[in-house]
Amino acid sequence: MVNGIKPIAAKSMAERVEASLREYFTKENFKPGDPLPTELELAAALGVSRNVVREALSRFKMLGIIETKKKTGMVISNPDIVGTFEKVLNPEIMDESTLKDLFELRLVLEMGIADLLFLRKTEADLDELEEIAAREVKDKNFRISTEIAFHGKLYEMTGNDTMKRFQNLLLPIFGYVMKLENKKFVSGKVTHQDLVKILRKGTVKEFKEGMLSHLQPHFDRLKQLK
Amino acid sequence: MVNGIKPIAAKSMAERVEASLREYFTKENFKPGDPLPTELELAAALGVSRNVVREALSRFKMLGIIETKKKTGMVISNPDIVGTFEKVLNPEIMDESTLKDLFELRLVLEMGIADLLFLRKTEADLDELEEIAAREVKDKNFRISTEIAFHGKLYEMTGNDTMKRFQNLLLPIFGYVMKLENKKFVSGKVTHQDLVKILRKGTVKEFKEGMLSHLQPHFDRLKQLK
DNA sequence: ATTAGTAGTTATGTTCTACATATTAAATGT
DNA sequence: ACATTTAATATGTAGAACATAACTACTAAT
């Protein structure tokens, strides 16, 4: 077996141009709004066809790192990281171990937002949350949608838009993993209504314990697996 | 002001082809390993040039959703989501509110991993962690690197590779935000060595309190801002 | 002098053709 | 039956050409 030897340039031109451009952007310290050379200039500078350059640029456009206008040219812009995440987060084509990891990540987030919640909660938020929890008790049929609504509202209350959107993306993962394991959504001893109550009048510590108890079935399952 | 009116098709062909392909993949229920039509077939089916198709395909290749081999053609594959994340996570071109959000996200993760840690910790892990903490006390100069090593090891101990890699990506964000706010890395009353001790002999609850205390300076700063 | 209109220029958007290259599959020869 | 050669095919890359939007500058008209 041949060891310590690797292919010279297995990667495609577009891939290499992407890497070169990325390096160029950081080296030149590009900031949002800064104009880029034209496609032809880049092609000439890199010694490749305009076609290849465009394939690489197309990638940056997808990430939101580059924006273009005709005649004006291209400029750097700040990418939408959550939006990008969305583009790869397809449960159908994800390997199982990653799915499991993301499922756990969701649990970790859920357990970790307590401090932010107590830092930023408002009366209006609590009222709305309470209303969601109350609605849930009436409509036995729509447990999943209210489940989503409740936890979604929690993330919203953190005042962290990125986290809220991120959690939203993880929702299908959550559902998918549950389906894979043929499990039903089961809540622990602490209900949503209990959580609201703690959030309103209790302490951070109590809330953390409450949330753990609420998610206990999920943690129990993890314990079984290992 | 004109209301309820939007541009017909402002998006580029490549962008629309990307969307069409994405829809096609899910509709046809493609799984990793499944072969795709050829570029020419796609171009014909979509009524666009092969060039445009290639620009769209290039995007999927970047995300790792498509892999290609000459002659054989293209197949669906499972994307590397953390790797994709890395491609957009450049602090230099990110807007400040997103940076702030990610900084908080890091804190939330840190607070939320306690349960996983106690579920999966091993003696070997604890030994290594203790060693890192001990090294830190000796080398006053390299506080930041040991800071990274310590918390990195914690994530590693969760047994969640995705989370570990994700945290690794957030590190530069952490540093960047600190630099932006001209703050130094300050630990709370609970040190790394204390955390190790709790992790070894204490309870989950104690560890959570310890971690909160360790990160308290950061939470205090958040409190100041709001 | 301000406005309106016109023409020219430029960079991206799109298409088409051609050829290179890797790899599979078929054909051929021993 | 096996090894070798040949052909076929899908991706990779290059180059030219034209379309299109948007900026610039010049011109004409009120």
Side-chain angles (χ1 to χ4, degrees):
Chain A
M1 195 186 301
V2 186
N3 233 345
I5 188 169
K6 49 191 172 185
I8 307 288
K11 299 174 188 191
S12 71
M13 282 291 164
E15 204 164 339
R16 283 192 279 170
V17 168
E18 184 203 332
S20 290
L21 288 178
R22 187 161 265 126
E23 197 181 335
Y24 171 62
F25 294 162
T26 62
K27 201 150 248 166
E28 296 287 313
N29 200 27
F30 274 115
K31 304 281 185 203
D34 290 349
L36 294 178
T38 69
E39 294 177 351
L40 278 170
E41 285 169 339
L42 290 175
L46 292 162
V48 296
S49 74
R50 186 176 160 226
N51 242 331
V52 168
V53 172
R54 277 185 64 82
E55 284 186 22
L57 290 173
S58 182
R59 300 177 173 202
F60 287 107
K61 288 175 199 167
M62 177 182 61
L63 301 179
I65 290 179
I66 287 181
E67 281 179 0
T68 59
K69 265 195 288 185
K70 279 190 179 174
K71 160 76 179 179
T72 312
M74 303 179 281
V75 296
I76 297 286
S77 71
N78 30 30
D80 175 10
I81 58 162
V82 184
T84 300
F85 211 74
E86 189 174 8
K87 287 183 183 285
V88 280
L89 227 62
N90 183 347
E92 300 288 333
I93 60 172
M94 221 138 58
D95 62 296
E96 224 173 281
S97 79
T98 305
L99 277 171
K100 192 179 72 61
D101 283 354
L102 289 175
F103 184 85
E104 287 178 10
L105 179 58
R106 205 329 193 123
L107 289 180
V108 167
L109 288 178
E110 213 83 42
M111 291 301 303
I113 58 174
D115 298 285
L116 278 187
L117 279 176
F118 274 78
L119 200 65
R120 307 228 170 99
K121 62 177 177 166
T122 68
E123 278 304 313
D125 283 334
L126 289 169
D127 290 345
E128 194 179 331
L129 199 63
E130 190 166 1
E131 210 250 315
I132 293 171
R135 206 187 320 156
E136 175 181 24
V137 178
K138 289 180 190 169
D139 286 0
K140 284 280 179 184
N141 300 344
F142 296 99
R143 257 185 64 10
I144 295 171
S145 68
T146 49
E147 172 82 22
I148 291 174
F150 185 85
H151 287 272
K153 178 63 189 173
L154 281 185
Y155 283 90
E156 192 183 315
M157 287 170 65
T158 62
N160 189 316
D161 192 50
T162 303
M163 190 133 46
K164 161 75 175 137
R165 291 176 62 203
F166 189 64
Q167 175 263 352
N168 219 293
L169 292 185
L170 290 181
L171 280 177
I173 308 278
F174 217 68
Y176 190 80
V177 173
M178 301 299 276
K179 203 184 75 183
L180 267 187
E181 303 187 350
N182 264 331
K183 300 278 180 180
K184 278 196 175 179
F185 258 103
V186 181
S187 285
K189 291 173 187 168
V190 173
T191 67
H192 287 164
Q193 287 191 311
D194 297 332
L195 286 175
V196 177
K197 219 172 289 175
I198 302 173
L199 202 47
R200 203 186 276 281
K201 300 197 172 167
T203 67
V204 185
K205 221 186 285 184
E206 285 168 344
F207 183 79
K208 285 176 183 172
E209 290 173 38
M211 182 59 87
L212 178 58
S213 176
H214 179 66
L215 298 173
Q216 196 60 52
H218 299 304
F219 282 107
D220 284 343
R221 196 172 327 130
L222 293 186
K223 208 177 293 182
Q224 280 176 20
L225 294 176
K226 193 52 197 286
Chain B
M1 195 187 300
V2 186
N3 234 343
I5 189 169
K6 49 190 171 185
I8 307 288
K11 299 174 188 196
S12 71
M13 281 291 165
E15 203 163 342
R16 283 193 279 169
V17 169
E18 183 204 333
S20 290
L21 287 178
R22 187 160 267 127
E23 197 182 335
Y24 171 62
F25 294 163
T26 62
K27 201 151 250 167
E28 296 288 312
N29 201 27
F30 274 115
K31 304 280 186 206
D34 290 350
L36 293 178
T38 69
E39 294 177 350
L40 279 169
E41 284 170 339
L42 289 175
L46 292 162
V48 297
S49 75
R50 186 177 159 223
N51 240 330
V52 167
V53 172
R54 278 186 63 82
E55 283 186 22
L57 290 173
S58 181
R59 299 176 174 202
F60 287 107
K61 288 175 200 168
M62 175 181 61
L63 301 179
I65 291 178
I66 286 181
E67 280 179 0
T68 60
K69 263 196 291 185
K70 280 188 181 176
K71 162 76 177 179
T72 311
M74 304 179 281
V75 297
I76 299 288
S77 71
N78 28 30
D80 174 11
I81 60 164
V82 184
T84 300
F85 212 73
E86 188 173 9
K87 287 183 183 283
V88 280
L89 227 63
N90 182 347
E92 299 287 333
I93 60 171
M94 221 140 56
D95 63 295
E96 224 172 284
S97 78
T98 305
L99 277 171
K100 191 178 72 61
D101 283 353
L102 289 176
F103 183 86
E104 288 178 10
L105 179 58
R106 211 316 199 128
L107 290 180
V108 167
L109 288 179
E110 212 82 42
M111 292 301 302
I113 58 173
D115 298 286
L116 278 187
L117 280 176
F118 273 78
L119 200 64
R120 308 229 169 100
K121 61 176 178 169
T122 68
E123 278 305 312
D125 282 334
L126 288 169
D127 291 344
E128 193 179 331
L129 199 63
E130 189 166 1
E131 211 251 313
I132 294 171
R135 205 188 319 157
E136 175 181 26
V137 177
K138 289 180 189 168
D139 285 1
K140 283 280 182 186
N141 301 344
F142 295 100
R143 256 184 69 2
I144 294 171
S145 68
T146 48
E147 171 82 23
I148 291 174
F150 184 85
H151 287 272
K153 179 64 188 173
L154 281 184
Y155 282 91
E156 193 183 317
M157 287 171 64
T158 62
N160 190 315
D161 191 50
T162 303
M163 191 135 43
K164 161 76 175 136
R165 292 177 61 202
F166 188 65
Q167 175 262 356
N168 218 293
L169 291 185
L170 290 180
L171 280 176
I173 308 278
F174 217 68
Y176 190 80
V177 172
M178 300 298 278
K179 203 185 76 183
L180 266 187
E181 300 186 353
N182 264 329
K183 298 280 179 178
K184 280 195 177 180
F185 258 100
V186 182
S187 285
K189 289 172 187 168
V190 173
T191 68
H192 287 166
Q193 287 192 312
D194 296 332
L195 286 176
V196 178
K197 218 171 293 175
I198 301 174
L199 202 47
R200 206 187 273 280
K201 300 196 173 166
T203 65
V204 185
K205 223 187 280 187
E206 285 169 344
F207 183 79
K208 284 177 183 172
E209 289 173 38
M211 182 58 88
L212 178 59
S213 177
H214 180 66
L215 298 174
Q216 196 60 51
H218 299 304
F219 282 108
D220 285 343
R221 197 172 326 130
L222 293 186
K223 208 178 291 183
Q224 281 175 19
L225 295 175
K226 192 51 199 286

